[in-house]
Amino acid sequence: ITIPLLTGQAAYRTARQMLRPLLKDNVDPSTQAIIITGCDSGFGLSTALQLAAIGHTVFALCYSDETSHDLLAASKTHDKLVRIICDVTKDSHVDA
């Protein structure tokens, strides 16, 4: 089985297409917060940006400062996008 890696516009379009039916009328962005892992790049980043753009509070978990430059830049324009550095392989990060 080959699973394509989606990046850039492809990841953005895929996230938008997948999220649209789920969020159309079901979730009120003003009353919900969403946690997404893997927001350093690809699908996690695209999903976090899509949800923040429509008004959701998004806690975007990233592996490290070094790998999350795109999310850091986006968080400056989306006030409901919160970047959290969390390496799930480190107990100290998970416990925090």
Side-chain angles (χ1 to χ4, degrees), residues 19-91:
L19 292 170
R20 187 176 293 131
L22 296 173
L23 299 174
K24 189 173 183 180
D25 297 316
N26 300 331
V27 179
D28 178 2
S30 67
T31 63
Q32 303 291 317
I34 299 169
I35 299 172
I36 303 172
T37 60
C39 294
D40 303 82
S41 63
F43 190 71
L45 174 63
S46 296
T47 302
L49 296 177
Q50 283 289 314
L51 292 170
I54 61 173
H56 288 278
T57 298
V58 177
F59 295 97
L61 278 62
C62 298
Y63 179 72
S64 71
D65 278 324
E66 295 80 26
T67 60
S68 61
H69 298 292
D70 292 338
L71 185 68
L72 179 61
S75 67
K76 293 177 181 175
T77 60
H78 293 289
D79 61 336
K80 292 187 172 191
L81 181 60
V82 180
R83 183 179 71 130
I84 299 171
I85 303 302
C86 182
D87 179 352
V88 296
T89 65
K90 295 181 180 176
D91 288 339

